[in-house]
Amino acid sequence: MEALRGVTVLEAIASGHLTRQRIVSLGFRDAGAWILLAEVFLGPTRHRKLQAQALDAAREGGLSLDALRVVDKHTRKLLPGAAVTEWELRAELCHLRGTVDEIDRAASARVRDLNRTVPDAENKAFAGRALKGGKNTDARGLRTATITLPERHMTAFLGRLLPTARRLRRDNPRLTYEQAMADALLAGGTGPSGPTPPVPLVVVPVPEWAQVLRREKDDTIFGLTDGTTMTGRELVEQVTAEHHYVGVYHPVEGPVDLYRSERTASPKQQKLLAAETLLCPTPVCTTSADDSQVHHLKAWKQGGNTNVAEMTIACQVHNARNDDDPDAPPRNGRLEREPGGVVFHPPDGGPPQRNRHPLRELSAMGLIAAGRA
Ligand SMILES: [Zn+2]
């Protein structure tokens, strides 16, 4: 049997010979999509010449209806400001040949390449972010939602779930990867770093009625407005009883913790620092805190302390590239803690920069800043 030509079907729809009811009665469920496609390829447009070129190419290659749908789907993903117009692209993609899957892949790659060169592509693509579905129940009683994010955001999002999912699968090898990722998401997923059980970290701003007085042994002593004192442990119990990790953050100075004389940060300090920033604080970096290292803002050899106020999280690359000696000529720039969080000082002496990744709004300091705004 000769393959059904897509253009032939679209012409039948456009001329009114093939109606919606007829398509449905023939047993196809995509009538709506076919009709839209007929409007695109045969309906009125200001780009008649390119439309005709697209149709000629599709006819010549005998593109199927599914192939035309794939062409149109990718054409619509062209970002504004690309080097070609939508109709130029549609005509070009109609010259693709092969199976529907092959055309799908080639069209996707072509549009991705075009979009890469669009100025401010990332922000334009970000407008396409979405969380869809979740409203229809299937026969098993399940609902499905899909999330659409720019690739770097998705990588960061899944990266936050991965450590928990891996841990769950270690504990229960019968879990599939997808089940474990779902469990990680339900568990809050973005738990603290390190080989720890998936326990959520609760961010507690230092209450107005308490002030950091001093450090004592393994705890912080707070002075209360009624003239009494309280240990950090007691303060935390005051706020919440059922959580295992509670980080206390000062809105300006950042995490509150003990002075440490060891060079290596304790797991507790790592947890505080990871939740403080969620991602490496270097602008545009997307490495998650879980995949990062503890970085001494004042290098150990420069007399830095293993005190949370003098540390942050930084990815391996930015930890290594950091200009540790503030007196040496700047080469790559350096991270510094300033009121409200850790910032990056560029080597050209320009103003300090923050990592403005949207995920960081969920970091401890992001949440506290939002709570004060
Ligand atoms: Zn980094």
Side-chain angles (χ1 to χ4, degrees), residues 21-57:
Q21 293 95 307
R22 182 78 183 118
I23 297 170
V24 172
S25 71
L26 285 169
F28 293 101
R29 56 182 300 179
D30 297 327
W34 293 9
I35 289 164
L36 281 179
L37 214 52
E39 280 165 16
V40 169
F41 281 95
L42 293 154
T45 170
R46 288 198 312 227
H47 308 277
R48 296 209 62 95
K49 244 178 100 179
L50 287 163
Q51 189 188 43
Q53 282 174 23
L55 280 171
D56 285 348

Side-chain angles (χ1 to χ4, degrees), residues 279-287 292 314-319 355:
L279 300 174
C280 169
T282 313
V284 199
C285 188
T286 56
T287 306
S292 295
C315 73
Q316 202 174 351
V317 173
H318 291 126
N319 192 10
N355 185 348

Side-chain angles (χ1 to χ4, degrees), residues 164-181:
T164 305
R166 283 203 197 108
R167 210 174 295 131
L168 293 172
R169 287 188 85 189
R170 257 203 315 274
D171 295 347
N172 178 7
R174 293 172 57 123
L175 278 183
T176 66
Y177 168 80
E178 284 166 4
Q179 286 172 333
M181 288 297 275

